[in-house]
Amino acid sequence: MLLGKFDESLKGAFKSLDYFKGIQYTSLLVEEIIALCYFFKAQWAEFSELLESMIKKAYSVNKKLYNRFLYFKACYNFIESDYSGCLELLVEIGNNEFERDEYYLFSRILQIMCYMETENTEVVASSLDSIEKYISRNKSLTVIGARLKVIIK
């Protein structure tokens, strides 16, 4: 994706879809670029429609992509102030028996943000404790920067 040049990125991505017909994983990655362009251009209808299609395809193609796309949908729900819909997706990510990667961690953080928005302070406190323990147990996670550790503490 060209930095800040979403229209050009969309043109290139749509063009490249023809090259990857029949290669599901690569096609999903290209569709992800298209979806992210829609997201950053705030073209919510296009983003949402494409993302639904991507989620359906990703489940049978690659479970890690599936989790990532669920996370994107949860972010969209959060932006739309659909906190219960967001939390449902985030719980699904947490319950999936897939590899726990950075999207698992990010989903936990987004859960806390939902609880804060709904003023569920008891759950916020326990969730912060839980995520702090998770991070201390998983020091090898490369997505956890010093700044994130300070924010959580």
Side-chain angles (χ1 to χ4, degrees):
M1 186 163 29
L2 300 170
L3 189 61
K5 297 182 180 179
F6 303 119
D7 291 327
E8 289 178 48
S9 297
L10 280 170
K11 286 178 190 173
F14 279 119
K15 194 176 196 180
S16 70
L17 277 176
D18 292 335
Y19 296 112
F20 300 116
K21 279 189 179 167
I23 306 171
Q24 290 181 319
Y25 182 80
T26 307
S27 294
L28 277 170
L29 293 177
V30 174
E31 287 180 10
E32 180 180 13
I33 291 169
I34 294 168
L36 290 172
C37 286
Y38 288 150
F39 182 88
F40 290 115
K41 290 180 65 166
Q43 292 180 314
W44 302 121
E46 294 89 343
F47 172 76
S48 182
E49 183 180 333
L50 179 57
L51 189 59
E52 287 298 326
S53 166
M54 292 164 49
I55 289 170
K56 289 176 187 168
K57 290 186 255 182
Y59 187 82
S60 61
V61 173
N62 183 284
K63 304 305 186 211
K64 197 168 186 174
L65 276 180
Y66 177 73
N67 262 4
R68 185 159 73 212
F69 297 160
L70 285 180
Y71 177 75
F72 291 164
K73 182 166 174 70
C75 289
Y76 173 70
N77 286 352
F78 185 85
I79 289 167
E80 293 290 307
S81 300
D82 177 8
Y83 305 118
S84 63
C86 180
L87 285 168
E88 285 176 24
L89 290 167
L90 296 172
V91 167
E92 182 177 348
I93 291 170
N95 289 338
N96 285 340
E97 295 178 14
F98 312 139
E99 177 183 333
R100 292 208 165 157
D101 57 9
E102 63 270 12
Y103 288 97
Y104 174 75
L105 174 65
F106 296 153
S107 71
R108 302 269 307 263
I109 294 168
L110 190 54
Q111 274 182 326
I112 293 168
M113 292 169 60
C114 284
Y115 294 137
M116 291 170 76
E117 289 294 327
T118 58
E119 299 180 3
N120 194 340
T121 53
E122 289 179 22
V123 177
V124 170
S126 66
S127 296
L128 284 170
D129 289 341
S130 174
I131 200 168
E132 192 173 359
K133 289 175 187 171
Y134 176 78
I135 289 171
S136 67
R137 283 192 314 264
N138 295 282
K139 295 182 191 295
S140 63
L141 284 174
T142 57
V143 296
I144 304 172
R147 183 171 183 250
L148 180 58
K149 288 179 185 175
V150 169
I151 290 170
I152 291 170
K153 287 184 179 190

